[in-house]
Amino acid sequence: MDYLIGQKPAAAGRQPAVARAPLPQPAAETDPTIMDGDQTTFMRDVVDASRTLPVIVDFWATWCGPCKTLTPTLEKVVRSAGGGVRLVKIDIDKNQALVRQLAQLGLPLQSVPTVAAFWQGQIADLFQGALPESEVRRFVEALLKLGGGSMPGADLVAEARAALEAGAAQDAAALSNAAVEQEPENPEAWGGLVRALLAAGDEEQAGQVLSEVPAKIAEHAEVAGARSALALAAEGRKAKGQLKTLQKRLQANPADHQARYDLATALNASGRRDEAADALLEIVRTDRAWNEDAARLQLLKFFEAWGFDDPATLAARRKLSALLFR
């Protein structure tokens, strides 16, 4: 929607404007980023306020069961945003004039909960129904990004990634742990913590951390990738010590697919990703059905562990596609 609340949409008939009644400031809130709103303060608390920071409006009702679940989740996520976004809660039964005015302007309020995000006086996004915390967090993160900000935990995750890339595994683990404490359902923080612990050589602690990941985000790509990285680390530790032996076996018999498969695992454990991928790709090229497609499946596990935007993943994926669709 590209219209302004309180203004007439382009090429439309005259619409009722939302009241701008000047009222006394509300009493001080425990948390200034979360407040109750009504039809007399909507312009001030939502539309005007959204010109300086993103505002989320939670339209709810006392008889609405899903609202009782969603509202506390919204409050939790907004608090974790560290003041970067405001939440205004509006009881639709007590503010029916506002509901009618907004409905005439195109905002669907036939059912609750309805959550609308405002930025620069406009509706930037909305959803209806109760969403899980992870989805609410993504909604808020997108709104913060629109306003040029980010969740505090996102900054910690970015710093942790930079530290890990620089080889400072302990620093990366500390930063990721801080992000987890700040945002307990942040999959990037959990995945980063596991990867940092693996880089520090602490597989046992990495496994313990994975067992503590909240069930809601256990299958998120970041967590699944960290899980694959842990599994590959255990396999690689065993194969790494046999690197020279495996290379000699292949020199003696280039058709020894098991040796090439194990060599790929050892190369991956040594950080030689491109070579590891090439070893598995060679098996796929010569005998894709070997060991029930084990080489291709292992390569997919590599992709998951490395990250789908990793340069080694992108290069190997192109080669795999060329082999499969030639």
Side-chain angles (χ1 to χ4, degrees):
M1 299 179 187
D2 56 2
Y3 52 79
L4 302 183
I5 293 296
Q7 291 186 7
K8 180 174 64 178
R14 184 173 182 178
Q15 304 288 347
V18 177
R20 275 186 182 271
L23 291 177
Q25 293 294 320
E29 299 281 339
T30 303
D31 185 340
T33 64
I34 299 175
M35 64 183 66
D36 292 314
D38 59 38
Q39 55 205 23
T40 61
T41 61
F42 187 83
M43 287 300 301
R44 181 192 67 203
D45 293 343
V46 176
V47 178
D48 292 343
S50 74
R51 301 187 190 283
T52 57
L53 85 164
V55 179
I56 295 172
V57 184
D58 174 21
F59 294 98
W60 65 283
T62 55
W63 44 263
C64 169
C67 297
K68 295 179 173 64
T69 301
L70 179 63
T71 297
T73 301
L74 282 167
E75 292 175 345
K76 177 182 177 182
V77 176
V78 167
R79 288 193 184 96
S80 71
V85 65
R86 169 186 286 186
L87 173 64
V88 178
K89 299 176 291 182
I90 294 180
D91 183 340
I92 63 168
D93 289 334
K94 294 181 179 179
N95 296 277
Q96 293 185 16
L98 174 64
V99 169
R100 287 193 296 271
Q101 291 172 9
L102 293 175
Q104 290 182 34
L105 290 172
L107 183 63
L109 291 173
Q110 295 88 348
S111 65
V112 288
T114 291
V115 176
F118 286 77
W119 173 241
Q120 294 296 305
Q122 299 178 335
I123 298 176
D125 201 357
L126 63 84
F127 69 84
Q128 291 182 305
L131 298 181
E133 183 176 331
S134 57
E135 293 295 324
V136 171
R137 187 171 298 279
R138 276 192 280 272
F139 180 84
V140 174
E141 286 173 348
L143 184 59
L144 283 168
K145 186 179 294 186
L146 189 65
S150 63
M151 296 288 281
D155 294 334
L156 289 170
V157 168
E159 290 179 39
R161 285 177 177 165
L164 191 58
E165 290 174 2
Q170 295 291 349
D171 290 343
L175 288 164
S176 295
N177 189 61
V180 166
E181 290 181 353
Q182 194 166 86
E183 297 181 37
E185 292 190 5
N186 185 328
E188 288 82 5
W190 283 98
L193 179 55
V194 172
R195 292 178 186 278
L197 290 170
L198 287 175
D202 196 343
E203 289 180 31
E204 183 178 354
Q205 185 62 31
Q208 179 61 38
V209 167
L210 273 173
S211 71
E212 297 172 0
V213 173
K216 291 180 180 179
I217 61 170
E219 299 307 316
H220 187 280
E222 291 289 338
V223 177
R227 190 180 298 113
S228 291
L230 176 60
L232 289 171
E235 294 176 22
R237 183 167 23 84
K238 298 175 183 177
K240 194 174 179 180
Q242 302 176 341
L243 186 61
K244 291 184 178 179
T245 300
L246 292 168
Q247 289 171 331
K248 289 180 180 179
R249 281 176 55 185
L250 278 175
Q251 288 175 354
N253 180 15
D256 187 344
H257 294 327
Q258 186 61 58
R260 196 178 298 279
Y261 180 94
D262 293 339
L263 177 63
T265 302
L267 289 169
N268 177 61
S270 302
R272 296 157 66 178
R273 293 181 175 180
D274 291 331
E275 294 175 69
D278 286 342
L280 293 175
L281 286 166
E282 177 62 17
I283 298 174
V284 174
R285 186 186 69 79
T286 55
D287 186 2
R288 175 179 170 180
W290 175 77
N291 198 17
E292 299 182 345
D293 204 16
R296 184 184 65 85
L297 295 176
Q298 182 76 333
L299 190 55
L300 295 182
K301 187 184 290 185
F302 281 2
F303 294 165
E304 190 174 51
W306 299 343
F308 294 110
D309 58 351
D310 185 271
T313 297
L314 297 174
R317 188 181 290 280
R318 286 193 294 270
K319 293 177 181 178
L320 179 61
S321 296
L323 286 174
L324 298 180
F325 300 105
R326 61 184 176 181

